[in-house]
């Protein structure tokens, strides 16, 4: 019934449904939410690759997602984990709704990609120096 309601509303059935912000009472409960987000993210990899026309395979993305989750593996506070899970769900949802561009997604794949500093025109240099 839920899927038909989503389809009638013209929404993407692969997008996450509204998620709750109920705080976890225990670390195990927070870890379960984190594991569920991890599985959901892994299941979304093929769709993300096709939507953004990425030149990578799912096998190449899995270690990147693993690293993102392992980055916070030392967190032991359930409330902090809940915030991280919430932010992770939000990132995944925005990615699936194509709120991001290909370059945003590519920054997860290649974090060494740095934004090039903008070169000021000679007019701006003279303007800031007070000679223009």
């Amino acid at each position: 019934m839920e899927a038909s309601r989503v389809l009638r509303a013209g929404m993407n059935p692969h997008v996450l449904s509204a998620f709750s912000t109920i705080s976890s009472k225990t670390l195990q409960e927070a870890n379960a939410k984190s594991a569920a987000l991890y599985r959901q993210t892994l299941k979304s990899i093929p769709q993300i690759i096709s939507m953004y026309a990425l030149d990578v395979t799912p096998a190449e993305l899995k270690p990147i997602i693993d690293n993102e989750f392992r980055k916070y593996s030392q967190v032991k506070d359930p409330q902090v984990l809940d915030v991280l899970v919430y932010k992770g769900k939000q990132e995944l949802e925005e990615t699936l709704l194509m709120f991001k561009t290909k370059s945003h997604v590519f920054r997860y794949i290649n974090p060494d990609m740095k934004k090039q500093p903008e070169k000021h025109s000679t007019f701006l240099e003279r303007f800031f120096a007070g000679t223009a």
Side-chain angles (χ1 to χ4, degrees), residues 2 11 14-23 33 36-37 40 81-97 99:
E2 177 67 27
M11 297 172 66
H14 301 290
V15 175
L16 302 173
S17 60
F19 39 90
S20 66
T21 57
I22 298 173
S23 295
K33 289 179 183 180
L37 174 62
Q40 194 168 24
L81 277 175
D82 284 340
V83 170
L84 291 170
V85 167
Y86 179 83
K87 288 181 177 183
K89 285 181 179 181
Q90 187 175 13
E91 283 288 320
L92 180 59
E93 182 178 30
E94 289 174 358
T95 302
L96 291 173
L97 288 173
F99 288 177

Side-chain angles (χ1 to χ4, degrees), residues 110-117:
N110 186 4
D112 298 331
M113 187 175 88
K114 301 287 185 209
K115 185 176 179 182
Q116 296 294 329

Side-chain angles (χ1 to χ4, degrees), residues 24-110:
S24 300
K25 292 180 179 38
T26 64
L27 182 61
Q28 290 77 22
E29 188 179 337
N31 284 335
K33 289 179 183 180
S34 176
L37 174 62
Y38 177 74
R39 285 190 301 274
Q40 194 168 24
T41 304
L42 291 181
K43 288 179 185 178
S44 301
I45 287 176
Q47 182 182 4
I48 292 169
I49 289 173
S50 66
M51 286 170 50
Y52 289 94
L54 300 174
D55 294 331
V56 294
T57 64
E60 292 170 330
L61 277 185
K62 187 179 182 306
I64 294 167
I65 292 171
D66 288 345
N67 288 337
E68 286 295 316
F69 276 83
R70 285 196 180 112
K71 196 186 302 182
Y72 301 104
S73 63
Q74 76 283 356
V75 176
K76 301 298 180 203
D77 184 359
Q79 291 179 334
V80 174
L81 277 175
D82 284 340
V83 170
L84 291 170
V85 167
Y86 179 83
K87 288 181 177 183
K89 285 181 179 181
Q90 187 175 13
E91 283 288 320
L92 180 59
E93 182 178 30
E94 289 174 358
T95 302
L96 291 173
L97 288 173
M98 294 202 68
F99 288 177
K100 299 177 182 288
T101 63
K102 187 174 181 175
S103 65
H104 292 130
V105 176
F106 195 73
R107 285 187 203 139
Y108 281 105
I109 299 169
N110 186 4

